[in-house]
Amino acid sequence: SIRETAAREGVKAYLVGGIVRDIILGIKNEDIDIVVEGNGIEFAKSLCETLGGRKVVSHEKFKTAVVVVDDELKIDVATSRVEYYEYPTSLPTVEYGSLREDMFRRDFTINSLALEVDNNRFGDLVDYFNGYRDIRDKKIRILHNLSFIEDPTRIIRAFRFASRYGFDIAEETERLLQDSIENGFLKRVSWPRVKTELKIILGDRRPHRALEYLEKYGILKTIHPKISYSSRMKSQIEKTADSKKLLDTLGLEKWMVNFLVVLENLNSDELDLVFNKFGFSGSFRKKYHLGSTKRKKILEELSIARKNSRIYDILKEVTNEIIVLLYLEGNRELKENIEKYVYTLRDAECMVGGRDLIEMGEAPGDHFKDILKDVFYFQLDNPGSGREELLEILEE
Ligand code: ATP
């Protein structure tokens, strides 16, 4: 379809960026990025029609568009361009430019490849900066010496790609990276953008080398002086990867849990500082208000809890985020208790209610809550008990 659309519009079109890299590596990637030499927005509209897509969201100023095909598939279309800054502080004015210039603005050579998808040379790899060689040699390499100075977030991106693909950072690139860190360029970094990168790192299958780099270059310390990459952190993160079922049941994302693991040793005030820096919302902070001291107490109580009602009582006020952290930390018994809570106790409902008490002639009042709680806890501790039995207890 891209090929047909390009022919119809009379433009050249290229697949670019991560997807080309991953095609070469044989890795699945569903983020389709297209660069068009010509009018990208017209191309996007035409492509949307061909695909029977839902809509095109376009940005005239930047000459970019997103083709929303359906909930799953979105295609980004850009116009190859050069950016001019009319005034140093203004947003760039976009002019049509060449593909080469577009590729030159990318972060690393492995991301600077384009694959022609129009009729002319369908399937040709356009490789201005030796990206193919670097993929083959497993190297992360920047395109020019000022790259990290231009955008310090690339420092963290370098770690992320090296870690994910098991690549090395090219010697010269690592030297420039170190220089820019030593010259304080991280101070200029935008923390919400760092958060975006950290999210990807912590959600990846292989985050460890990235964390080692973040430790080595003092970036974890920049997030907060108390954070360091320890063997304990490493093992907790490995355990998160093994706890998929629990995370899914609780509706939690892996990156989030790992992020909390990274922040594990901070007290409530310190957590607040970090969450602020990264721009997390107040509601998010609330979920994680139980600092390490309180968690220790819960951990102790839970590891000796035997009765279902006791497990329920300990965990009922605890947020899902904290439940997972306790799980990662706990011994076998504690893990079993948490599994029991998450998979069964949590959703249990009392088989008798206020209406039954009223039918027994009891006048409604605050005391109902305590009575029903006792009966409910009896029900939890005696999984075989039926409604009849509970009614008898209620009567007493
Ligand atoms: P992933 O598979 O994790 O999405 P990706 O390569 O698609 O990896 P994105 O962060 O989605 O990474 O970025 C898409 C493309 O945009 C990259 O391939 C890269 O060429 C370019 N890019 C992203 N961030 C930067 C940056 N800070 N500097 C230069 N180019 C960037």
Side-chain angles (χ1 to χ4, degrees):
S1 307
I2 297 171
R3 187 177 188 164
E4 285 162 29
T5 309
R8 198 167 50 244
E9 295 292 310
V11 296
K12 277 171 153 285
Y14 305 86
L15 273 183
V16 296
I19 189 163
V20 182
R21 176 198 67 217
D22 287 345
I23 288 171
I24 295 170
L25 286 167
I27 296 169
K28 201 168 144 200
N29 185 330
E30 280 156 8
D31 291 338
I32 303 180
D33 284 303
I34 297 174
V35 165
V36 173
E37 278 184 331
N39 191 325
I41 294 182
E42 286 306 314
F43 177 91
K45 288 179 183 160
S46 178
L47 180 63
C48 187
E49 249 169 57
T50 313
L51 294 173
R54 200 176 295 158
K55 63 176 176 182
V56 174
V57 183
S58 57
H59 207 310
E60 283 293 337
K61 187 165 174 142
F62 297 100
K63 297 193 166 61
T64 59
V66 182
V67 181
V68 183
V69 183
D70 52 38
D71 284 341
E72 245 104 87
L73 182 62
K74 295 185 182 62
I75 301 174
D76 281 305
V77 180
T79 304
S80 72
R81 63 204 184 177
V82 220
E83 287 171 3
Y84 294 105
Y85 291 82
E86 282 170 2
Y87 308 100
T89 51
S90 67
L91 278 171
T93 307
V94 177
E95 292 289 333
Y96 292 108
S98 70
L99 178 71
R100 188 178 193 283
E101 268 146 307
D102 193 309
M103 293 297 113
F104 189 61
R105 288 185 299 109
R106 309 263 159 175
D107 44 6
F108 307 111
T109 59
I110 61 163
N111 291 337
S112 72
L113 292 161
L115 197 62
E116 191 158 335
V117 283
D118 53 63
N119 263 335
N120 292 344
R121 296 151 184 260
F122 190 86
D124 268 13
L125 190 65
V126 186
D127 183 4
Y128 296 113
F129 309 106
N130 281 321
Y132 186 78
R133 181 201 62 195
D134 284 338
I135 291 179
R136 200 193 51 209
D137 296 348
K138 300 174 179 278
K139 292 279 185 228
I140 307 294
R141 192 189 310 277
I142 43 176
L143 300 181
H144 58 85
N145 287 356
L146 296 178
S147 190
F148 291 126
I149 294 166
E150 231 169 60
D151 181 359
T153 325
R154 290 177 186 157
I155 295 171
I156 295 163
R157 290 177 62 86
F159 302 154
R160 146 150 109 80
F161 290 118
S163 192
R164 179 194 289 173
Y165 299 122
F167 284 15
D168 285 323
I169 300 177
E171 221 170 278
E172 176 78 351
T173 296
E174 189 158 0
R175 195 175 58 72
L176 289 163
L177 181 153
Q178 191 164 3
D179 282 354
S180 66
I181 291 176
E182 280 166 12
N183 289 325
F185 277 91
L186 277 177
K187 291 206 185 78
R188 275 186 24 208
V189 94
S190 134
W191 287 104
R193 282 185 65 201
V194 172
K195 179 173 105 185
T196 308
E197 297 298 331
L198 274 182
K199 256 170 102 159
I200 304 178
I201 289 173
L202 295 172
D204 260 353
R205 263 181 351 121
R206 291 194 279 184
H208 297 293
R209 286 213 24 238
L211 286 160
E212 278 163 18
Y213 275 123
L214 290 171
E215 171 74 31
K216 177 175 168 193
Y217 286 107
I219 296 173
L220 292 178
K221 291 265 173 304
T222 321
I223 297 174
H224 193 281
K226 266 170 81 174
I227 304 174
S228 70
Y229 186 51
S230 58
S231 53
R232 174 184 157 89
M233 194 188 287
K234 182 172 181 197
S235 94
Q236 302 289 87
I237 288 174
E238 276 162 6
K239 286 184 204 157
T240 310
D242 294 334
S243 312
K244 190 173 176 332
K245 185 178 165 206
L246 188 85
L247 262 58
D248 287 349
T249 309
L250 293 173
L252 295 177
E253 291 176 81
K254 186 164 92 176
W255 77 265
M256 244 284 303
V257 173
N258 283 338
F259 186 59
L260 296 177
V261 167
V262 168
L263 304 181
E264 196 170 49
N265 292 325
L266 308 193
N267 66 31
S268 307
D269 292 341
E270 294 160 343
L271 281 171
D272 247 10
L273 275 177
V274 175
F275 289 151
N276 232 338
K277 195 172 197 162
F278 283 114
F280 279 103
S281 68
S283 65
F284 176 84
R285 290 187 220 173
K286 243 196 229 128
K287 289 190 198 156
Y288 195 59
H289 69 286
L290 288 188
S292 51
T293 339
K294 277 203 183 129
R295 284 204 320 268
K296 284 223 170 59
K297 188 162 163 275
I298 300 179
L299 209 58
E300 277 163 22
E301 289 175 353
L302 198 58
S303 55
I304 53 167
R306 291 286 167 272
K307 287 164 90 175
N308 287 348
S309 58
R310 180 74 189 125
I311 299 171
Y312 185 91
D313 208 46
I314 296 170
L315 289 175
K316 69 181 189 309
E317 308 286 343
V318 179
T319 59
N320 291 350
E321 283 77 2
I322 303 285
I323 290 182
V324 173
L325 288 187
L326 295 167
Y327 185 81
L328 297 179
E329 205 166 338
N331 57 17
R332 173 185 280 274
E333 268 151 19
L334 182 131
K335 280 196 162 68
E336 280 170 9
N337 281 349
I338 288 184
E339 282 168 7
K340 192 185 254 179
Y341 176 76
V342 172
Y343 300 131
T344 55
L345 303 179
R346 188 171 70 126
D347 297 320
E349 274 174 42
C350 189
M351 284 188 279
V352 295
R355 184 172 299 166
D356 298 308
L357 277 172
I358 293 169
E359 273 173 17
M360 287 170 190
E362 193 72 26
D366 282 349
H367 61 297
F368 271 31
K369 226 172 85 196
D370 293 335
I371 299 175
L372 289 169
K373 183 178 159 194
D374 285 347
V375 180
F376 181 48
Y377 281 14
F378 177 89
Q379 175 190 321
L380 291 178
D381 292 335
N382 302 274
S385 56
R387 191 174 135 77
E388 293 308 316
E389 194 177 340
L390 294 179
L391 284 173
E392 270 171 38
I393 295 171
L394 209 56
E395 198 116 36
E396 285 165 24

